[in-house]
Amino acid sequence: MARMSVSRLQKMKQEGQKIASLTAYDASFARAFAAAGIDFMLVGDSLGNVVQGQDSTVPVTVADIVYHTAAVRRGAPEAFIIADMPFMSYATPHDAYLAAAELMRAGANMVKLEGGDWLLETIAGLKERGVPVCAHLGLLPQSVNVLGGFKVQGREQAQAEQTVRHALALQEAGAQLMVLECVPSELGQRITEKLSIPTIGIGAGAQTDGQILVMHDMLGMNSNYLPKFVKNFLTDGRDIDAAVCAYISEVRSGDFPQPEHRFD
């Protein structure tokens, strides 16, 4: 199988092939996910919650993401890896350039930023400087203190229309991938149909071009709280390898997510 790339992800969208992705934070799991055939891995700032035990992603630093990106790269040398840009590491375009350089040197193929049209100059500048960008709309975990908690975004018409406008603007600025988090399934479908770049959903319905889950959620390891959009694949006597293969298979076939995993 050919190595994953931005152009191959684009081709998968064009051909209607679903994209399966997971977060990864260390070499061992990265190796297992790559062996199972995952399309890409995200070194997410969710490591603040699931690895560091933080209450949010806000305390995560660039150094943290650099460390875990390097570990994932060592475990999966051929994988396509996206690295999250942590809270306030892209407050200005200059800040973003410096942080992105560190993440790319650590082994990332792409960086991910949370936010709307205030990022247009930053995204255009990153692309001009050779850094592929994944945008992120909907629920923005780094903005949880402003949002007042982890809430579904885009249910009101005005907010939905604004999200669509931001998605189109971010694509125009140079974003080559788009994560949509915790938005109504109808909005996820609408944005996916309007964009030429692939969309990756997490709680955004079944009509996005692909899906991503936090690996700990996919393995049912956060038993105290399982978000609505999560399914535990480590069931029915499966081991971890079988659970990952089941997840990939269900994403590609369209069997995941089911209606009970979506927001209306």
Side-chain angles (χ1 to χ4, degrees), residues 99-148:
E102 290 192 59
L103 297 175
M104 297 293 283
R105 291 190 189 107
N109 300 102
M110 176 180 266
V111 300
K112 182 169 74 66
L113 316 175
E114 295 181 11
D117 56 8
W118 69 273
L119 286 171
L120 299 182
E121 179 185 353
T122 297
I123 290 173
L126 285 168
K127 185 180 180 184
E128 287 173 352
R129 289 158 177 80
V131 180
V133 175
C134 174
H136 184 148
L137 289 173
L139 174 62
L140 308 178
Q142 292 176 13
S143 300
V144 65
N145 292 309
V146 172
L147 297 174

Side-chain angles (χ1 to χ4, degrees), residues 4-24:
M4 187 55 68
S5 64
V6 170
S7 59
R8 188 164 167 222
L9 289 169
Q10 182 68 52
K11 186 177 180 182
M12 290 178 73
K13 176 185 176 78
Q14 293 168 351
E15 296 179 350
Q17 299 178 44
K18 292 290 188 179
I19 300 165
S21 56
L22 286 167
T23 64

Side-chain angles (χ1 to χ4, degrees), residues 15-90:
E15 296 179 350
Q17 299 178 44
K18 292 290 188 179
I19 300 165
S21 56
L22 286 167
T23 64
Y25 314 99
D26 65 33
S28 296
F29 277 102
R31 187 177 300 111
F33 295 168
I38 203 76
D39 292 314
F40 72 80
M41 287 176 258
L42 169 68
V43 182
D45 58 3
S46 49
L47 69 87
N49 305 89
V50 298
V51 177
Q52 298 176 340
Q54 308 281 6
D55 290 333
S56 75
T57 64
V58 171
V60 176
T61 66
V62 173
D64 292 334
I65 301 290
V66 165
Y67 174 90
H68 288 276
T69 299
V72 169
R73 175 55 70 200
R74 286 191 291 270
E78 304 297 312
F80 191 89
I81 298 171
I82 302 176
D84 259 337
M85 300 273 279
F87 178 69
M88 290 298 286
S89 66
Y90 49 99

